[in-house]
Amino acid sequence: MAFILIRDTEVAASFIKFKIEINNEDVGKIAQGEEKEFTLPEEESVLQIKQFGSRSNKLVVNDGDYIEISNAPWFFWEFVSLFILGIIVSSFEGPAVWTGYALVIVGYFVFNYFVESIKLTKRNKE
């Protein structure tokens, strides 16, 4: 029993490998553009991807499934917001600049902790 996992070439943070969890157990990592086969410990297992506090939706996978990793639909707007906040913070003066940048970075990680920024989708094998 196994399934195939493919990492889309347009997923953010392409230079970093994603951590693969099946039934809350680390089973490996996957790099940008890579396609890997993973063995299922049970007939129906739960798959989740994680990276730097970001995570994917949980997806029930079965033998023979073809799973694609991509960005969540709103992910682009998250980066646009970070860019705009960076411009606003750069207009501050003195220590407020560094405090502002620190708050933007911490805010980004806190936000990603509570939302699913990576999307797992079952696809037909092409």
Side-chain angles (χ1 to χ4, degrees), residues 51-76:
Q51 175 199 34
F52 289 137
S54 299
R55 59 182 160 61
S56 72
N57 54 310
K58 290 185 177 184
L59 187 66
V60 175
V61 292
N62 300 301
D63 186 35
D65 282 347
Y66 188 76
I67 311 297
E68 180 181 68
I69 303 170
S70 59
N71 292 326
W74 54 267
F75 197 69
F76 169 78

Side-chain angles (χ1 to χ4, degrees), residues 69-87:
I69 303 170
S70 59
N71 292 326
W74 54 267
F75 197 69
F76 169 78
W77 296 108
E78 179 181 8
F79 278 99
V80 169
S81 300
L82 281 174
F83 181 73
I84 292 169
L85 285 171
I87 291 172

Side-chain angles (χ1 to χ4, degrees), residues 102-116:
L103 288 174
V104 168
I105 292 168
V106 168
Y108 170 78
F109 283 106
V110 168
F111 179 76
N112 274 329
Y113 180 78
F114 291 105
V115 299
E116 297 167 347

